[in-house]
Amino acid sequence: MKSSIRRSRRTITALALGSVLALTATACGDDGSGSAGDKGGEGSGKGTITFWDDNGGVRTDIWKQIIADFEKKYPDIKVDYVGIPAASAQSKYDTAIQGGGLPDVGGVGTAMLAEVAAQNALEPLDSRLAKSTLNGKLSQNLIDVSKAAGGGDTLYQVPTSANNGTLWYRTDLFRKAGLDAPTTWSKFYAAADKLTDKGRNAFGFTIRGGKGSIAPALDAVYGQSGITSFWNGDRTTVNDPRNVTALEKYVALYKKDTPSADVNNDFTKMVAQWDSGTIGMLSHNLGSYQDHVKALGKDRFRGIPNPTRDDGTRVQVSNPVDGLSLFRSSENKAAAWKFIEFAVSAPENSRFNRSAGQVPANTDAAKDAWVQSAEPTKLAAQALNGADTKIVQLPYYLPDWNTISKSDNEPAFQKLLLGKASAKQFLDTLADQLNKAQADWKKNH
């Protein structure tokens, strides 16, 4: 019931905003191809197409370079670039779905993919990819993440890049303590203990207790338990006894081997705290690499994929994946698909991800020299593309996933750290919310 109410509120809000904001989009001159449900057409494969960048400003320069390359190769196609700030991309798409003005092609991240696809706005891409020069050139694990995030087995997004959970550790502190690299969970916990000296304000680890705490906690839980699926039928595995045990061990680090301030720390505070030099390990993605270089230099730290189980099994939760989608209402799908193929080809995908600091989805691009020379990115690419890597697909497709994983349970995770709830209580509550959301999704789809 709670999930249905949330969905109704979102729908009402979108409809209410649609009639007003659609006029704004038109007034700003955003050329588009139609509204959700329009069938569009293949077109001539020439002419003008509109591309919406869902991280405008941050990625504008690199996309304009890729567009210039594309127009040089395809002089009969012109690409109109529209940059949209990441914070407003979801509302921009929702407005266009209701009122018209969708682009031919756009950046659609996994966090919003299911809701856009569920409104019949996106073109299925499986058959196009099967006939494409990209077929067999993209990370299968990322393809699987894209499909799962779309809410089923259909591909609505060609992945361009991904981040990956990374364990950053101070090589100088590890050498001084005679510790091996924390490549397994056993070594991780041993290092966290040995590097902690509260008298010197030194700690082995910094745990994320503030905003964004749920995904890294789930990554640590599934990574330790070895459970490889988020669902067992329509019931989540999140509160499986093996996961409860893993979470108990993880949160037991708080205040024992971590600073007490961690209960309120988001990634910005964690990174700054780790860069200060008194903490041995930090779990965060590749995005903080340059911060570490500036603070510590290249020789005092390493970034490796999150630990494996002692038997070498690597299980990790899915990270959000960036990608490009073709809109169903496009009147020139042939030209729009050419643009997607070009943008995700090895040279352009490599260029884009070098600028973004992320892992290329194109496996040939992932072999380029810049990836191989940046060890954290190289190891992340190997983990993401590894045949033995098992990825637990988080349910990004659930309309209430962000509410459940953020506003509902980030405060609950803080209570867990503070000893006001048990790991079992926390995971049982989370599981109950997820099971209800899954049942609601199934009922309505």
Side-chain angles (χ1 to χ4, degrees), residues 216-234:
L218 290 178
D219 212 359
V221 164
Y222 280 95
Q224 292 175 81
S225 73
I227 296 171
T228 58
S229 176
F230 197 78
W231 300 102
N232 182 9
D234 288 330

Side-chain angles (χ1 to χ4, degrees), residues 4 6-7 32 62 65 128 135 137 139 148 158 160 183 307 313 316 373-374 386 434 445:
S4 298
R6 285 174 179 155
R7 178 177 298 169
I62 187 61
Q65 292 176 36
R128 292 179 190 268
N135 189 32
K137 297 294 185 180
S139 166
V158 175
T160 57
T183 53
T313 303
Q316 60 185 62
S373 63
L434 288 165
H445 295 82

Side-chain angles (χ1 to χ4, degrees), residues 162-227:
N163 228 314
N164 201 48
T166 300
L167 183 63
W168 304 97
Y169 73 97
R170 288 284 304 274
T171 51
D172 54 347
L173 298 181
F174 271 68
R175 279 194 300 268
K176 186 176 179 180
L179 289 165
D180 293 334
T183 53
T184 67
W185 286 105
S186 293
K187 291 178 179 179
F188 165 81
Y189 283 110
D193 267 342
K194 190 165 185 179
L195 293 172
T196 297
D197 184 344
K198 293 181 181 179
R200 295 190 303 106
N201 196 36
F203 297 92
F205 184 56
T206 173
I207 195 170
R208 188 167 183 167
K211 289 183 179 179
S213 60
I214 304 303
L218 290 178
D219 212 359
V221 164
Y222 280 95
Q224 292 175 81
S225 73
I227 296 171

Side-chain angles (χ1 to χ4, degrees), residues 13-35:
T13 301
L15 289 170
L17 289 172
S19 58
V20 176
L21 296 180
L23 295 174
T24 304
T26 303
C28 292
D30 295 338
D31 292 332
S33 52
S35 58

